[in-house]
Every structure is written in structure tokens, then in C-alpha cells.
Amino acid sequence: MTFQLIDIEVQSRTSHPRLAGRTTGRVRAVLSETRDGREQTHELTISVWADLASDASAGDIDMALMLKAADIVGRLKAKLEVAD
């Protein structure tokens, strides 16, 4: 069984209501799973947050949120591949 991250994008983001410098968001991640020669696609929505400087650009914020989501997907992928 193998998993591959094939797409990732920020669906939404907003400033945290109480913590200055923190942005919360939802990231869509698409995984491709190959098991027994069959391929299946999984679409996940991941809630993430990032602490950033107040002058961070929209692109920097999106990148920080996607990196957090990619890290979560990487940990999930490692767990699933070991469990198989």
C-alpha cells in the first residue's frame, strides 16, 4: 500500500479571534492510494493554524497553512504504511 499527496490547497483562512498573529484555516488535501494494484483517491479537509508576523503576505499565510497540513498528512501516511 502506498500513499501519495497529489494536490493541496487552502480552502479558507481567517485571523484567530483572540490570539494576535495566529491564522486558522482549512486545507484540502488529495491523496492517491495504491493497494493491490488498484488506485483510489481520497479527499481530506484538514483544520490547521499558523503563527505569523503581522506583515505576512497572503501567499506566506497560505504556504504556512499548507505546510502544516502537509506535515499532518505525512504523519498519517507514515502511520498507515507501517500498519499495513
Side-chain angles (χ1 to χ4, degrees):
M1 173 172 49
T2 60
F3 290 92
Q4 184 176 14
L5 180 62
I6 57 175
D7 189 29
I8 191 165
E9 69 178 345
V10 175
Q11 288 183 321
S12 65
R13 61 180 154 84
T14 186
S15 297
H16 192 281
R18 291 181 303 278
L19 300 174
R22 179 164 291 183
T23 300
T24 59
R26 296 175 99 43
V27 175
R28 177 182 158 269
V30 180
L31 293 173
S32 173
E33 173 189 13
T34 304
R35 176 186 269 185
D36 300 328
R38 294 184 323 232
E39 189 171 314
Q40 187 172 12
T41 303
H42 304 283
E43 192 170 315
L44 309 172
T45 300
I46 304 166
S47 297
V48 292
W49 58 269
D51 290 326
L52 300 150
S54 60
D55 62 346
S57 69
D60 290 341
I61 294 169
D62 286 352
M63 182 59 70
L65 295 174
M66 286 188 291
L67 285 172
K68 286 272 192 162
D71 180 57
I72 292 168
V73 168
R75 292 192 315 252
L76 173 67
K77 181 179 155 188
K79 289 278 192 187
L80 291 172
E81 288 175 344
V82 168
D84 186 36

Coordinates of all heavy atoms in Angstrom, one line a residue:
M1 N 0.8 -1.2 0.0 CA 0.0 0.0 0.0 C 0.9 1.2 0.0 O 1.8 1.4 0.8 CB -0.9 0.0 1.2 CG -1.7 1.2 1.4 SD -2.9 1.2 2.7 CE -2.1 0.5 4.1
T2 N 0.6 2.1 -0.9 CA 1.4 3.4 -1.0 C 0.4 4.6 -1.0 O -0.7 4.5 -1.6 CB 2.3 3.5 -2.2 OG1 1.6 3.3 -3.4 CG2 3.4 2.3 -2.1
F3 N 0.8 5.7 -0.4 CA 0.0 6.9 -0.5 C 0.9 8.0 -1.1 O 2.1 8.1 -0.8 CB -0.4 7.3 0.9 CG -1.4 6.4 1.6 CD1 -1.0 5.4 2.4 CD2 -2.7 6.7 1.4 CE1 -2.0 4.6 3.0 CE2 -3.7 5.9 2.0 CZ -3.3 4.8 2.8
Q4 N 0.2 8.8 -1.9 CA 0.9 10.0 -2.4 C 0.0 11.2 -2.4 O -1.1 11.1 -2.7 CB 1.3 9.6 -3.9 CG 2.1 10.7 -4.6 CD 2.5 10.3 -6.0 OE1 2.0 9.3 -6.5 NE2 3.4 11.0 -6.5
L5 N 0.6 12.3 -1.9 CA -0.1 13.6 -1.9 C -0.1 14.1 -3.3 O 1.0 14.4 -3.9 CB 0.6 14.6 -0.9 CG -0.1 15.9 -0.8 CD1 -1.5 15.8 -0.2 CD2 0.8 16.8 0.1
I6 N -1.3 14.3 -3.9 CA -1.3 14.7 -5.3 C -1.8 16.2 -5.5 O -1.6 16.8 -6.5 CB -2.1 13.8 -6.2 CG1 -3.5 13.6 -5.7 CG2 -1.4 12.4 -6.3 CD1 -4.4 12.7 -6.7
D7 N -2.5 16.7 -4.5 CA -2.9 18.1 -4.6 C -3.2 18.6 -3.2 O -3.5 17.9 -2.3 CB -4.2 18.2 -5.4 CG -4.7 19.6 -5.7 OD1 -3.8 20.5 -5.8 OD2 -5.9 19.8 -5.8
I8 N -2.9 19.9 -3.0 CA -3.1 20.6 -1.7 C -3.5 22.0 -2.0 O -2.8 22.7 -2.9 CB -1.9 20.4 -0.8 CG1 -2.3 20.9 0.6 CG2 -0.7 21.1 -1.3 CD1 -1.3 20.4 1.7
E9 N -4.5 22.6 -1.3 CA -4.9 24.0 -1.5 C -5.6 24.5 -0.3 O -6.3 23.7 0.4 CB -5.8 24.1 -2.7 CG -7.1 23.5 -2.6 CD -8.0 23.8 -3.8 OE1 -7.7 24.6 -4.6 OE2 -9.0 23.1 -3.9
V10 N -5.5 25.8 0.0 CA -6.2 26.4 1.1 C -7.6 26.7 0.7 O -7.8 27.3 -0.4 CB -5.5 27.7 1.5 CG1 -6.3 28.4 2.6 CG2 -4.0 27.4 2.0
Q11 N -8.5 26.2 1.5 CA -10.0 26.4 1.2 C -10.4 27.7 1.9 O -11.3 28.4 1.3 CB -10.8 25.2 1.7 CG -10.7 24.0 0.9 CD -11.6 22.9 1.3 OE1 -11.8 22.7 2.5 NE2 -12.2 22.2 0.4
S12 N -10.0 27.9 3.1 CA -10.4 29.1 3.8 C -9.3 29.5 4.8 O -8.6 28.6 5.3 CB -11.8 28.9 4.5 OG -11.7 27.9 5.5
R13 N -9.3 30.7 5.2 CA -8.4 31.2 6.3 C -9.0 32.4 6.9 O -9.7 33.2 6.3 CB -7.0 31.4 5.8 CG -6.9 32.5 4.7 CD -5.4 32.7 4.3 NE -5.3 33.2 3.0 CZ -5.3 34.5 2.7 NH1 -5.5 35.4 3.7 NH2 -5.1 34.9 1.5
T14 N -8.7 32.6 8.2 CA -9.2 33.7 9.0 C -8.2 34.0 10.2 O -7.6 33.1 10.6 CB -10.6 33.5 9.5 OG1 -11.1 34.7 10.1 CG2 -10.7 32.3 10.5
S15 N -8.2 35.2 10.6 CA -7.4 35.6 11.8 C -8.1 35.0 13.0 O -9.3 34.9 13.1 CB -7.3 37.1 12.0 OG -6.7 37.6 10.9
H16 N -7.3 34.5 13.9 CA -7.8 33.9 15.2 C -8.5 35.1 15.9 O -8.0 36.2 16.0 CB -6.7 33.3 16.0 CG -7.2 32.5 17.1 ND1 -7.6 33.0 18.3 CD2 -7.4 31.1 17.2 CE1 -8.0 32.0 19.1 NE2 -7.9 30.9 18.5
P17 N -9.7 34.8 16.5 CA -10.4 35.9 17.2 C -9.7 36.4 18.4 O -10.0 37.6 18.8 CB -11.8 35.3 17.5 CG -11.6 33.8 17.4 CD -10.4 33.5 16.5
R18 N -8.9 35.6 19.1 CA -8.3 36.1 20.4 C -6.8 36.1 20.4 O -6.2 36.9 21.1 CB -8.8 35.2 21.5 CG -10.3 35.3 21.8 CD -10.7 34.5 23.0 NE -10.4 33.0 22.8 CZ -11.2 32.2 22.1 NH1 -12.3 32.7 21.5 NH2 -10.9 30.9 22.0
L19 N -6.1 35.3 19.5 CA -4.7 35.3 19.5 C -4.1 36.1 18.4 O -4.2 35.7 17.2 CB -4.2 33.8 19.4 CG -4.7 32.9 20.6 CD1 -4.3 31.4 20.3 CD2 -4.1 33.3 21.9
A20 N -3.4 37.1 18.7 CA -2.8 38.0 17.7 C -1.7 37.3 17.0 O -1.0 36.5 17.6 CB -2.3 39.3 18.3
G21 N -1.7 37.4 15.6 CA -0.7 36.8 14.8 C -1.0 35.3 14.4 O -0.2 34.7 13.7
R22 N -2.1 34.8 14.9 CA -2.4 33.4 14.6 C -3.5 33.4 13.5 O -4.5 34.1 13.6 CB -2.9 32.6 15.8 CG -3.3 31.2 15.4 CD -3.4 30.3 16.6 NE -2.1 30.1 17.2 CZ -1.9 29.3 18.2 NH1 -2.9 28.6 18.8 NH2 -0.7 29.1 18.7
T23 N -3.3 32.6 12.5 CA -4.3 32.4 11.4 C -4.7 30.9 11.5 O -3.9 30.0 11.6 CB -3.7 32.7 10.1 OG1 -3.2 34.1 10.1 CG2 -4.7 32.5 8.9
T24 N -6.0 30.7 11.4 CA -6.6 29.4 11.3 C -7.2 29.2 9.9 O -7.5 30.2 9.2 CB -7.7 29.2 12.3 OG1 -8.7 30.1 12.1 CG2 -7.2 29.3 13.8
G25 N -7.2 27.9 9.5 CA -7.8 27.7 8.2 C -8.1 26.2 7.9 O -7.9 25.4 8.8
R26 N -8.6 26.0 6.7 CA -9.0 24.7 6.3 C -8.2 24.4 5.0 O -8.3 25.3 4.1 CB -10.5 24.5 6.1 CG -11.2 24.7 7.4 CD -12.7 24.6 7.2 NE -13.4 23.4 7.5 CZ -13.3 22.6 8.5 NH1 -12.3 22.8 9.4 NH2 -14.1 21.6 8.7
V27 N -7.6 23.3 4.9 CA -6.8 22.9 3.7 C -7.3 21.7 3.1 O -7.6 20.7 3.9 CB -5.3 22.8 4.1 CG1 -4.5 22.3 2.9 CG2 -4.7 24.1 4.6
R28 N -7.5 21.6 1.9 CA -8.0 20.5 1.1 C -6.7 19.7 0.6 O -5.9 20.3 0.0 CB -8.8 20.9 0.0 CG -9.3 19.7 -0.9 CD -10.1 20.3 -2.1 NE -10.2 19.3 -3.2 CZ -9.3 19.3 -4.2 NH1 -8.3 20.1 -4.2 NH2 -9.5 18.4 -5.1
A29 N -6.6 18.4 1.0 CA -5.5 17.6 0.5 C -6.1 16.4 -0.2 O -7.1 15.8 0.2 CB -4.7 17.1 1.7
V30 N -5.5 16.1 -1.4 CA -6.0 14.9 -2.1 C -4.8 13.9 -2.1 O -3.7 14.2 -2.5 CB -6.3 15.3 -3.6 CG1 -6.8 14.1 -4.4 CG2 -7.4 16.4 -3.6
L31 N -5.2 12.7 -1.7 CA -4.2 11.6 -1.6 C -4.6 10.5 -2.6 O -5.8 10.2 -2.8 CB -4.2 10.9 -0.2 CG -3.7 11.7 0.9 CD1 -4.0 11.0 2.2 CD2 -2.2 12.0 0.8
S32 N -3.6 9.9 -3.2 CA -3.8 8.8 -4.1 C -3.2 7.5 -3.3 O -2.1 7.5 -2.9 CB -3.0 9.0 -5.4 OG -3.1 7.8 -6.2
E33 N -4.1 6.5 -3.2 CA -3.7 5.3 -2.5 C -3.6 4.2 -3.6 O -4.5 4.0 -4.4 CB -4.7 4.9 -1.5 CG -4.5 3.6 -0.8 CD -5.6 3.1 0.1 OE1 -6.7 3.7 0.0 OE2 -5.4 2.2 0.8
T34 N -2.5 3.4 -3.6 CA -2.4 2.2 -4.4 C -2.3 1.0 -3.5 O -1.5 0.9 -2.7 CB -1.2 2.3 -5.3 OG1 -1.2 3.5 -6.0 CG2 -1.1 1.1 -6.2
R35 N -3.3 0.1 -3.7 CA -3.4 -1.1 -2.9 C -3.8 -2.2 -3.8 O -4.8 -2.2 -4.5 CB -4.4 -0.9 -1.8 CG -4.6 -2.2 -0.9 CD -5.7 -2.0 0.1 NE -5.1 -1.5 1.3 CZ -5.8 -1.3 2.4 NH1 -7.1 -1.5 2.4 NH2 -5.2 -0.8 3.5
D36 N -3.0 -3.3 -3.7 CA -3.2 -4.5 -4.6 C -3.4 -4.1 -6.0 O -4.3 -4.7 -6.7 CB -4.5 -5.2 -4.0 CG -4.3 -5.7 -2.6 OD1 -3.2 -6.0 -2.2 OD2 -5.3 -5.8 -1.9
G37 N -2.6 -3.2 -6.5 CA -2.7 -2.8 -7.9 C -3.8 -1.9 -8.3 O -4.0 -1.4 -9.4
R38 N -4.7 -1.5 -7.3 CA -5.8 -0.6 -7.6 C -5.5 0.7 -7.0 O -4.9 0.9 -5.9 CB -7.1 -1.2 -6.9 CG -7.6 -2.4 -7.5 CD -8.9 -2.9 -6.9 NE -9.0 -2.5 -5.5 CZ -9.3 -3.4 -4.6 NH1 -9.6 -4.6 -4.9 NH2 -9.3 -3.0 -3.3
E39 N -5.9 1.8 -7.7 CA -5.7 3.1 -7.2 C -7.0 3.8 -6.8 O -8.0 3.6 -7.5 CB -5.1 4.0 -8.3 CG -4.6 5.3 -7.9 CD -3.8 6.1 -8.9 OE1 -2.9 5.5 -9.5 OE2 -4.1 7.3 -9.1
Q40 N -7.0 4.4 -5.7 CA -8.1 5.1 -5.1 C -7.7 6.5 -4.7 O -6.6 6.7 -4.1 CB -8.7 4.3 -4.0 CG -10.0 4.9 -3.5 CD -10.7 4.0 -2.4 OE1 -10.1 3.0 -1.9 NE2 -11.9 4.2 -2.1
T41 N -8.6 7.5 -4.8 CA -8.3 8.9 -4.5 C -9.1 9.2 -3.2 O -10.3 8.9 -3.1 CB -8.7 9.8 -5.6 OG1 -8.0 9.4 -6.8 CG2 -8.4 11.2 -5.3
H42 N -8.5 9.9 -2.3 CA -9.1 10.3 -1.0 C -9.0 11.8 -0.9 O -7.9 12.4 -1.1 CB -8.4 9.7 0.2 CG -8.4 8.2 0.1 ND1 -9.5 7.4 0.4 CD2 -7.4 7.4 -0.2 CE1 -9.1 6.1 0.3 NE2 -7.8 6.1 -0.1
E43 N -10.0 12.5 -0.6 CA -10.0 14.0 -0.4 C -10.3 14.3 1.0 O -11.3 13.8 1.6 CB -11.1 14.6 -1.3 CG -11.0 16.1 -1.4 CD -12.0 16.6 -2.4 OE1 -12.0 16.1 -3.6 OE2 -12.6 17.7 -2.1
L44 N -9.3 15.0 1.6 CA -9.4 15.3 3.1 C -9.5 16.8 3.3 O -8.9 17.6 2.5 CB -8.1 14.8 3.8 CG -7.7 13.3 3.6 CD1 -6.4 13.1 4.2 CD2 -8.7 12.4 4.2
T45 N -10.2 17.2 4.3 CA -10.2 18.6 4.7 C -9.5 18.7 6.1 O -10.0 18.0 7.0 CB -11.6 19.2 4.8 OG1 -12.2 19.1 3.5 CG2 -11.6 20.6 5.2
I46 N -8.5 19.4 6.2 CA -7.7 19.4 7.4 C -7.7 20.8 8.0 O -7.4 21.8 7.4 CB -6.2 19.1 7.1 CG1 -6.2 17.7 6.4 CG2 -5.4 19.1 8.4 CD1 -4.9 17.4 5.7
S47 N -8.1 20.9 9.3 CA -8.1 22.2 10.1 C -6.6 22.4 10.6 O -6.1 21.5 11.2 CB -9.0 22.1 11.2 OG -10.3 21.9 10.8
V48 N -6.1 23.6 10.3 CA -4.7 23.9 10.7 C -4.7 25.3 11.2 O -5.6 26.1 11.0 CB -3.8 23.8 9.5 CG1 -3.6 22.3 9.1 CG2 -4.2 24.6 8.3
W49 N -3.5 25.7 11.8 CA -3.3 27.0 12.3 C -1.8 27.3 12.1 O -1.0 26.4 12.1 CB -3.7 27.2 13.7 CG -3.0 26.3 14.7 CD1 -3.5 25.1 15.1 CD2 -1.8 26.5 15.4 NE1 -2.6 24.5 16.0 CE2 -1.5 25.4 16.2 CE3 -0.9 27.5 15.3 CZ2 -0.4 25.3 16.9 CZ3 0.3 27.4 16.1 CH2 0.5 26.3 16.9
A50 N -1.5 28.6 12.0 CA -0.1 29.0 12.0 C 0.1 30.4 12.6 O -0.8 31.2 12.5 CB 0.4 29.1 10.5
D51 N 1.2 30.6 13.3 CA 1.6 31.8 13.9 C 2.5 32.6 12.9 O 3.5 32.0 12.6 CB 2.2 31.7 15.3 CG 1.3 31.1 16.3 OD1 0.1 31.5 16.2 OD2 1.7 30.4 17.2
L52 N 2.1 33.8 12.6 CA 2.9 34.5 11.6 C 3.1 36.0 12.0 O 2.3 36.5 12.8 CB 2.2 34.5 10.2 CG 2.0 33.1 9.7 CD1 0.7 33.0 8.8 CD2 3.2 32.7 8.8
A53 N 4.1 36.6 11.4 CA 4.3 38.0 11.6 C 3.1 38.8 11.1 O 2.4 38.4 10.1 CB 5.6 38.5 10.9
S54 N 2.8 40.0 11.7 CA 1.7 40.8 11.3 C 1.8 41.3 9.8 O 0.8 41.6 9.2 CB 1.5 42.0 12.2 OG 2.6 42.8 12.2
D55 N 3.0 41.3 9.3 CA 3.2 41.8 7.9 C 3.3 40.7 6.9 O 3.7 40.9 5.7 CB 4.4 42.7 7.8 CG 5.7 42.0 8.1 OD1 5.6 40.9 8.7 OD2 6.7 42.6 7.8
A56 N 2.9 39.5 7.3 CA 2.9 38.3 6.3 C 2.0 38.5 5.2 O 0.8 39.0 5.4 CB 2.6 37.0 7.1
S57 N 2.4 38.2 4.0 CA 1.6 38.3 2.8 C 0.6 37.2 2.8 O 0.7 36.1 3.4 CB 2.4 38.3 1.5 OG 3.0 37.0 1.3
A58 N -0.4 37.3 1.9 CA -1.4 36.3 1.7 C -0.8 35.0 1.3 O -1.1 33.9 1.7 CB -2.5 36.7 0.8
G59 N 0.2 35.1 0.4 CA 0.9 33.9 -0.1 C 1.7 33.2 1.0 O 1.7 32.0 1.1
D60 N 2.3 34.0 1.9 CA 3.1 33.4 3.0 C 2.1 32.7 4.0 O 2.4 31.6 4.5 CB 3.8 34.5 3.8 CG 5.0 35.1 3.0 OD1 5.5 34.4 2.1 OD2 5.5 36.2 3.4
I61 N 0.9 33.3 4.2 CA 0.0 32.7 5.1 C -0.5 31.3 4.5 O -0.5 30.3 5.2 CB -1.2 33.6 5.3 CG1 -0.8 34.8 6.1 CG2 -2.4 32.9 6.1 CD1 -1.8 36.0 6.2
D62 N -0.9 31.4 3.2 CA -1.3 30.1 2.5 C -0.2 29.0 2.6 O -0.5 27.9 2.9 CB -1.7 30.4 1.1 CG -3.0 31.1 1.0 OD1 -3.7 31.3 2.0 OD2 -3.4 31.5 -0.2
M63 N 1.0 29.4 2.3 CA 2.1 28.5 2.4 C 2.3 27.9 3.8 O 2.5 26.7 3.9 CB 3.4 29.1 1.9 CG 4.6 28.2 1.9 SD 4.4 26.8 0.8 CE 4.4 27.6 -0.8
A64 N 2.2 28.7 4.8 CA 2.3 28.2 6.2 C 1.2 27.2 6.5 O 1.5 26.2 7.1 CB 2.3 29.4 7.2
L65 N 0.0 27.5 6.1 CA -1.1 26.6 6.3 C -1.0 25.3 5.6 O -1.2 24.2 6.1 CB -2.4 27.3 6.0 CG -2.8 28.5 6.9 CD1 -4.1 29.1 6.4 CD2 -3.0 28.1 8.3
M66 N -0.5 25.4 4.3 CA -0.3 24.2 3.5 C 0.8 23.3 4.1 O 0.7 22.1 4.1 CB -0.1 24.5 2.1 CG -1.3 25.0 1.3 SD -1.1 25.2 -0.4 CE -0.1 26.6 -0.5
L67 N 1.9 23.9 4.6 CA 3.0 23.2 5.2 C 2.5 22.4 6.4 O 2.9 21.3 6.6 CB 4.1 24.1 5.5 CG 5.0 24.6 4.3 CD1 6.0 25.6 4.7 CD2 5.7 23.4 3.6
K68 N 1.7 23.1 7.2 CA 1.2 22.4 8.4 C 0.3 21.2 8.0 O 0.4 20.1 8.6 CB 0.3 23.4 9.2 CG 1.0 24.4 10.0 CD 1.4 23.8 11.4 CE 1.9 25.0 12.2 NZ 1.9 24.7 13.6
A69 N -0.5 21.4 7.0 CA -1.4 20.3 6.5 C -0.5 19.2 5.9 O -0.8 18.0 6.2 CB -2.4 20.8 5.5
A70 N 0.5 19.5 5.2 CA 1.4 18.5 4.6 C 2.1 17.7 5.6 O 2.3 16.5 5.5 CB 2.4 19.2 3.6
D71 N 2.4 18.4 6.7 CA 3.1 17.7 7.9 C 2.1 16.7 8.5 O 2.5 15.5 8.8 CB 3.6 18.7 8.9 CG 4.2 18.0 10.1 OD1 5.2 17.2 9.9 OD2 3.8 18.2 11.2
I72 N 0.9 17.1 8.7 CA -0.2 16.2 9.2 C -0.4 15.0 8.3 O -0.5 13.8 8.7 CB -1.5 17.0 9.5 CG1 -1.3 18.0 10.6 CG2 -2.6 16.0 9.8 CD1 -2.4 19.0 10.7
V73 N -0.5 15.2 7.0 CA -0.7 14.2 6.0 C 0.5 13.2 6.0 O 0.4 12.0 6.0 CB -0.9 14.7 4.6 CG1 -0.8 13.7 3.5 CG2 -2.2 15.4 4.5
G74 N 1.7 13.8 6.2 CA 2.9 12.9 6.2 C 2.9 12.0 7.4 O 3.3 10.8 7.3
R75 N 2.5 12.5 8.6 CA 2.4 11.7 9.8 C 1.4 10.6 9.6 O 1.6 9.4 10.0 CB 2.1 12.5 11.0 CG 3.3 13.4 11.4 CD 3.1 14.1 12.7 NE 1.8 14.6 13.0 CZ 1.5 15.9 13.1 NH1 2.5 16.8 12.9 NH2 0.3 16.3 13.4
L76 N 0.2 11.0 9.0 CA -0.9 10.0 8.8 C -0.4 8.9 7.8 O -0.6 7.7 8.0 CB -2.1 10.7 8.2 CG -3.2 9.8 7.7 CD1 -3.9 9.1 8.9 CD2 -4.3 10.6 7.0
K77 N 0.3 9.3 6.7 CA 0.8 8.4 5.7 C 1.8 7.4 6.4 O 1.8 6.2 6.1 CB 1.5 9.2 4.6 CG 2.1 8.5 3.5 CD 2.7 9.4 2.5 CE 3.7 8.7 1.7 NZ 4.5 9.6 0.9
A78 N 2.7 7.9 7.2 CA 3.7 7.1 7.9 C 3.0 6.0 8.8 O 3.4 4.8 8.8 CB 4.6 7.9 8.7
K79 N 2.0 6.4 9.5 CA 1.2 5.5 10.4 C 0.5 4.4 9.5 O 0.5 3.3 9.9 CB 0.2 6.2 11.2 CG 0.8 7.1 12.3 CD 1.1 6.2 13.5 CE 1.4 7.1 14.7 NZ 1.9 6.3 15.8
L80 N -0.1 4.8 8.5 CA -0.9 3.9 7.6 C 0.0 2.9 6.9 O -0.3 1.7 6.8 CB -1.7 4.6 6.6 CG -2.9 5.4 7.2 CD1 -3.6 6.2 6.2 CD2 -3.9 4.5 7.9
E81 N 1.2 3.4 6.5 CA 2.1 2.5 5.8 C 2.8 1.5 6.7 O 3.0 0.4 6.3 CB 3.2 3.3 5.0 CG 2.6 4.0 3.8 CD 3.5 4.9 3.0 OE1 4.6 5.3 3.6 OE2 3.2 5.3 1.9
V82 N 3.0 1.8 8.0 CA 3.5 0.9 8.9 C 2.5 -0.1 9.3 O 2.8 -1.3 9.6 CB 4.1 1.7 10.2 CG1 4.4 0.8 11.3 CG2 5.3 2.5 9.8
A83 N 1.2 0.3 9.4 CA 0.2 -0.5 9.9 C -0.2 -1.6 8.9 O -0.7 -2.7 9.2 CB -1.1 0.3 10.2
D84 N 0.2 -1.4 7.6 CA -0.2 -2.4 6.6 C 0.7 -3.6 6.6 O 1.6 -4.0 6.9 CB 0.0 -1.7 5.2 CG -0.5 -2.7 4.1 OD1 -1.5 -3.4 4.3 OD2 0.1 -2.6 3.0

